[in-house]
Amino acid sequence: MLDERKIRILQAIVDDYILTAMPVGSRTLSRKYMKELSSATIRNEMSDLEELGYLAQPHTSAGRIPSYLAYRLYVDRMMQVGHLRKDEVQQIRNTYDARIHQMQETLSAAARAIADSTNYTSVIVPPESSGFRLRHVEMVPVSESSALLIIVTDLGVVKDAVVRIPDGMPAEQLHMLSQLITEHLQGCRLEDIATLLPDMARELHMHQELFGQVCEVVQRQLHREDGASLLVGGATNMLAHPEYADLDRARALLSTLESKDRLYQLLQRSRGLQMTISIGPEMDIPEMRDCSLVTMSYTLGGQDLGMMGVIGPVRMNYPRVVAVLDTIRTTLAQALGESTGPPPAEG
Amino acid sequence: MLDERKIRILQAIVDDYILTAMPVGSRTLSRKYMKELSSATIRNEMSDLEELGYLAQPHTSAGRIPSYLAYRLYVDRMMQVGHLRKDEVQQIRNTYDARIHQMQETLSAAARAIADSTNYTSVIVPPESSGFRLRHVEMVPVSESSALLIIVTDLGVVKDAVVRIPDGMPAEQLHMLSQLITEHLQGCRLEDIATLLPDMARELHMHQELFGQVCEVVQRQLHREDGASLLVGGATNMLAHPEYADLDRARALLSTLESKDRLYQLLQRSRGLQMTISIGPEMDIPEMRDCSLVTMSYTLGGQDLGMMGVIGPVRMNYPRVVAVLDTIRTTLAQALGESTGPPPAEG
DNA sequence: ATTAGCACTCGTCTTACGTGAGTGCTAACA
DNA sequence: TGTTAGCACTCACGTAAGACGAGTGCTAAT
């Protein structure tokens, strides 16, 4: 059904179409890729491939373009992942500024690096904070009746929020309370704190209201599922590709990218999977019918942190994108390791 | 030279062109705006206005479009600032989520609100931290040899960064040091701390290295002039306007908006000024020749915080933009007041 | 099974032309 | 003297027609 030669021809078509974005004709194929076959032979094979559903003709007298099925076959069985040149890897490394020590900033540097290296659009989902482990809680008075609550975990400051405090509570007492919480809950997962904290408050019979507020802040941090913190890089890179020469389509896509909620949902589907490739219609989002998404998870000390991805035209340079993501995955782990201290293993 | 009637005609032309983006003809003008004048009369006047440099003709047999000079005249002397409807103001108010208490998030909500209300692109420059007053310093150990330094000012957490500490320094001592710094420098402007801190370290004859690092962090925060924290909203709104139907031009503009450095420079020019309007070429940025920029400063408790602005086509609806910015200025002050506690006056 | 040859298809580019909005000029009018 | 009606002229835009050429499918020869 799909013999060796058909596969070779199909691969050549996909490769060429990825390169040029133009329908590929039999003559071109014979000249550029397979001199030993005549165009007529290739025509026959192409005709077969079309019947099998791997190729499509925009119109009768044009060359063929790969169908989604062809891309699926391509990424599953035909493509060979590329390698980045040394200097390209070095350039990516350089984007992690040694002076930044906050995860958010490191991730956003990574997002930019991906976008620059691929000329597509990148997305990064920051880690779910539920698995973070508490390192320190501190409350700092900011007025007579309010204080700034700062929650520090093994991966940096997670949240700072204003809480109401009993009028005139001295800084000293706030610190003691903070210390109390810190000592009791240090090393616990944020997720568990939401339940442990109320228990603790009950036991102590004091400041239930304040503890409640702290609890609420943690809760809100955990349920921040709106993709508000999604990092997108190079959104306008999409405009550089001919599939978005049509302004209306370009606008539709860009506004989809701007409203990060749907993107977040999309990335969430691949959560935890080492690598996924979704091609066009497989994503079930009308505006992204002509896009593909390549995702990869990133880790720290063997622990899954979050997802990153590249969005580009279906006619995406998959080998290169995979190579870039792979490089980022490695360099990101190093950068995060440096910026957050030792791995978050023990308690 | 510019009599009453010429001004009325010019104003009608600008108004209509802002509305339709199409060259305005004498007949249209006579029908829609000034029924008492015939098209021929208007033609004569338009001819004069063209000679004076206020109008231009895309080609011989088209209507006239306003020149930059005309827009300048329009914003300086002719336009009357609009008013937002009650429900529009309410909608803006709604975007400030009562649950967010961090300046950065409030500002980014404001950026979104501006973009949504105007359908143009918004930019906000967050406050320079140099004028912030120190409220609290805290160092939290994150490993044997490193600690997280958190600097809190009257406007929230300004900076958290990792610093090296002498091996094995106990949390208790870190806290005492933090307390020492807090007590000495509370209420000082961040700008001054860079000089006060070394003095303090010298006096105490201890931990000069650690103090030096804290100092460095503050310094870096102060010299963060790269616009990295610039907030941009609705960048793709630009695509909705016909002047960017040309993809190349659209791409050039969008990438200018994405590289925030130049935007930052631009906004910086108007620093502190209540309101400025820059029209097209007045900005001296080639990619933005067809854009205008309206800026407004925002304040808190009478103190200048930063700048916000709207970028749109030269053919921008200036009255509405000014009205929106004015509304944001007011509501933003309220939102910031709520989120940061009492005004940052005393020491 | 492969290939050369050939008629055919059909999108794209070019050219030509009609249409209509808008102008400038002139002459008449108040 | 300012205003207006009339008219010839200009020129972007849209449509239609034709040339071109890349590519196909089919047939017949190898």
Side-chain angles (χ1 to χ4, degrees):
Chain A
M1 188 159 200
L2 261 188
D3 56 28
E4 181 59 30
R5 196 170 70 179
K6 280 199 178 52
I7 297 229
R8 271 187 55 221
I9 291 180
L10 188 55
Q11 173 157 12
I13 293 177
V14 174
D15 280 335
D16 195 76
Y17 188 67
I18 284 178
L19 207 67
T20 66
M22 303 283 277
V24 188
S26 56
R27 206 178 124 71
T28 318
L29 228 42
S30 157
R31 260 188 296 121
K32 276 177 68 176
Y33 296 92
M34 19 198 61
K35 294 206 171 57
E36 75 283 7
L37 292 183
S38 81
S39 64
T41 310
I42 295 178
R43 269 204 292 285
N44 287 329
E45 294 287 51
M46 284 167 85
S47 182
D48 291 354
L49 283 168
E50 179 166 4
E51 207 159 331
L52 289 169
Y54 292 109
L55 293 179
Q57 259 181 313
H59 58 266
T60 335
S61 68
R64 307 297 215 288
I65 61 174
S67 71
Y68 301 116
L69 211 55
Y71 287 108
R72 177 45 61 203
L73 195 66
Y74 178 79
V75 300
D76 284 346
R77 300 186 24 207
M78 303 189 315
M79 80 168 178
Q80 39 226 19
V81 174
H83 271 287
L84 298 191
R85 292 196 314 275
K86 285 252 169 62
D87 59 309
E88 292 176 317
V89 175
Q90 191 50 48
Q91 196 177 341
I92 288 177
R93 280 219 160 80
N94 289 343
T95 60
Y96 301 108
D97 191 324
R99 290 166 311 177
I100 57 177
H101 289 294
Q102 289 170 288
M103 157 142 23
Q104 196 79 359
E105 289 176 16
T106 304
L107 291 180
S108 101
R112 235 171 302 125
I114 298 176
D116 290 348
S117 301
T118 60
N119 208 22
Y120 301 125
T121 300
S122 67
V123 199
I124 295 190
V125 183
E128 288 274 354
S129 44
S130 58
F132 291 7
R133 287 174 186 281
L134 185 72
R135 214 152 222 167
H136 198 99
V137 169
E138 191 71 45
M139 288 180 282
V140 179
V142 292
S143 81
E144 267 296 290
S145 60
S146 65
L148 188 67
L149 163 69
I150 303 164
I151 300 174
V152 182
T153 70
D154 47 7
L155 291 179
V157 168
V158 169
K159 186 78 190 172
D160 54 296
V162 175
V163 291
R164 295 180 307 283
I165 54 174
D167 265 27
M169 181 183 259
E172 207 42 40
Q173 193 179 355
L174 272 174
H175 175 64
M176 276 179 49
L177 271 175
S178 307
Q179 221 168 355
L180 204 64
I181 299 179
T182 302
E183 272 166 22
H184 269 73
L185 300 179
Q186 201 163 40
C188 294
R189 297 174 56 211
L190 238 46
E191 200 171 25
D192 303 326
I193 286 179
T195 58
L196 291 173
L197 202 55
D199 290 351
M200 185 177 158
R202 257 194 304 279
E203 243 172 75
L204 290 171
H205 291 298
M206 59 192 279
H207 301 304
Q208 307 243 350
E209 146 75 3
L210 187 52
F211 279 50
Q213 285 185 63
V214 175
C215 209
E216 201 186 319
V217 169
V218 174
Q219 292 275 15
R220 254 196 334 258
Q221 174 66 18
L222 290 176
H223 295 129
R224 169 193 51 91
E225 300 229 322
D226 46 6
S229 58
L230 205 63
L231 299 162
V232 176
T236 56
N237 284 358
M238 295 311 271
L239 295 181
H241 302 281
E243 19 276 288
Y244 295 99
D246 177 26
L247 248 204
D248 285 332
R249 205 193 291 179
R251 201 161 61 231
L253 175 67
L254 282 180
S255 62
T256 307
L257 293 181
E258 224 171 45
S259 88
K260 304 182 173 177
D261 284 22
R262 311 193 42 199
L263 264 187
Y264 182 77
Q265 305 290 343
L266 195 58
L267 275 278
Q268 234 22 346
R269 290 189 209 166
S270 314
R271 189 102 215 174
L273 299 174
Q274 248 247 331
M275 185 182 97
T276 71
I277 298 184
S278 312
I279 296 168
E282 299 175 2
M283 285 189 287
D284 278 331
I285 295 185
E287 292 87 343
M288 299 185 68
R289 195 179 317 159
D290 305 291
C291 289
S292 281
L293 168 69
V294 181
T295 70
M296 230 181 239
S297 61
Y298 60 94
T299 61
L300 182 59
Q303 188 184 346
D304 242 60
L305 288 188
M307 302 299 298
M308 56 191 183
V310 169
I311 297 169
V314 171
R315 179 189 64 79
M316 189 194 297
N317 189 335
Y318 296 94
R320 182 174 171 85
V321 166
V322 173
V324 168
L325 282 180
D326 215 53
T327 306
I328 295 280
R329 178 219 284 280
T330 312
T331 55
L332 186 58
Q334 291 162 2
L336 285 178
E338 283 168 18
S339 73
T340 60
E346 42 71 70
Chain B
M1 185 161 203
L2 262 187
D3 56 28
E4 181 58 31
R5 197 170 68 180
K6 280 198 177 53
I7 297 229
R8 271 187 56 223
I9 290 179
L10 188 55
Q11 173 156 12
I13 292 176
V14 174
D15 280 336
D16 196 75
Y17 188 66
I18 285 179
L19 208 66
T20 65
M22 304 282 276
V24 188
S26 56
R27 207 178 124 73
T28 318
L29 230 42
S30 156
R31 258 189 297 122
K32 276 177 69 177
Y33 296 91
M34 20 198 60
K35 293 205 172 57
E36 75 282 9
L37 292 182
S38 79
S39 65
T41 311
I42 295 178
R43 268 204 293 286
N44 287 329
E45 295 287 50
M46 284 167 86
S47 181
D48 291 354
L49 283 169
E50 181 167 3
E51 207 158 333
L52 289 169
Y54 292 110
L55 293 179
Q57 257 182 315
H59 58 266
T60 336
S61 69
R64 307 295 214 291
I65 61 173
S67 70
Y68 300 117
L69 211 56
Y71 286 109
R72 178 45 58 202
L73 195 67
Y74 179 79
V75 301
D76 285 346
R77 299 186 24 205
M78 303 188 316
M79 79 168 179
Q80 38 227 17
V81 174
H83 271 287
L84 297 191
R85 292 195 314 274
K86 284 253 169 61
D87 59 309
E88 291 176 316
V89 175
Q90 192 50 49
Q91 197 177 338
I92 287 177
R93 280 220 160 80
N94 289 344
T95 59
Y96 301 106
D97 191 323
R99 290 167 311 176
I100 58 176
H101 290 295
Q102 290 169 286
M103 160 149 4
Q104 196 80 358
E105 289 175 15
T106 304
L107 291 180
S108 102
R112 235 172 302 126
I114 298 176
D116 290 349
S117 302
T118 59
N119 209 21
Y120 300 125
T121 300
S122 67
V123 198
I124 295 190
V125 183
E128 287 274 354
S129 44
S130 56
F132 292 7
R133 287 174 186 282
L134 185 73
R135 215 153 222 168
H136 198 98
V137 169
E138 191 72 45
M139 287 179 283
V140 179
V142 293
S143 82
E144 268 296 289
S145 59
S146 65
L148 188 67
L149 164 68
I150 302 165
I151 299 174
V152 182
T153 71
D154 48 8
L155 292 178
V157 169
V158 169
K159 186 77 190 172
D160 54 296
V162 175
V163 292
R164 295 180 307 282
I165 55 174
D167 264 28
M169 182 183 258
E172 205 45 39
Q173 193 181 354
L174 271 175
H175 175 65
M176 275 178 50
L177 270 176
S178 307
Q179 220 168 357
L180 204 63
I181 298 179
T182 302
E183 273 166 22
H184 268 73
L185 300 180
Q186 200 163 40
C188 294
R189 297 172 59 211
L190 238 47
E191 199 170 25
D192 304 326
I193 286 180
T195 58
L196 291 173
L197 201 53
D199 292 350
M200 186 179 159
R202 257 194 303 281
E203 243 172 76
L204 291 172
H205 291 296
M206 57 192 279
H207 302 304
Q208 306 242 352
E209 146 76 2
L210 187 53
F211 278 51
Q213 286 185 61
V214 175
C215 208
E216 200 187 319
V217 169
V218 174
Q219 292 275 14
R220 261 205 319 267
Q221 173 66 18
L222 291 177
H223 296 130
R224 170 193 51 91
E225 299 228 322
D226 47 5
S229 58
L230 206 63
L231 300 161
V232 176
T236 57
N237 283 358
M238 294 313 271
L239 294 180
H241 302 281
E243 19 277 287
Y244 296 98
D246 176 26
L247 248 204
D248 285 332
R249 206 193 292 181
R251 202 161 61 229
L253 176 67
L254 284 180
S255 62
T256 307
L257 293 181
E258 227 172 44
S259 87
K260 304 181 175 178
D261 283 22
R262 312 196 37 203
L263 264 187
Y264 182 77
Q265 306 291 344
L266 195 58
L267 275 278
Q268 232 24 342
R269 289 189 208 165
S270 315
R271 189 101 215 176
L273 299 174
Q274 248 249 328
M275 184 183 100
T276 70
I277 298 184
S278 312
I279 297 168
E282 299 175 2
M283 283 189 289
D284 277 330
I285 295 185
E287 293 87 346
M288 299 186 67
R289 196 179 316 159
D290 305 290
C291 289
S292 281
L293 169 70
V294 180
T295 71
M296 229 181 239
S297 61
Y298 60 94
T299 60
L300 183 60
Q303 190 184 346
D304 242 58
L305 288 189
M307 302 298 299
M308 57 191 182
V310 169
I311 296 169
V314 170
R315 179 188 64 79
M316 190 193 298
N317 189 335
Y318 295 94
R320 182 172 172 87
V321 166
V322 173
V324 168
L325 283 179
D326 215 53
T327 306
I328 296 279
R329 178 218 284 278
T330 312
T331 55
L332 185 58
Q334 291 162 3
L336 285 178
E338 283 168 19
S339 72
T340 59
E346 43 70 67

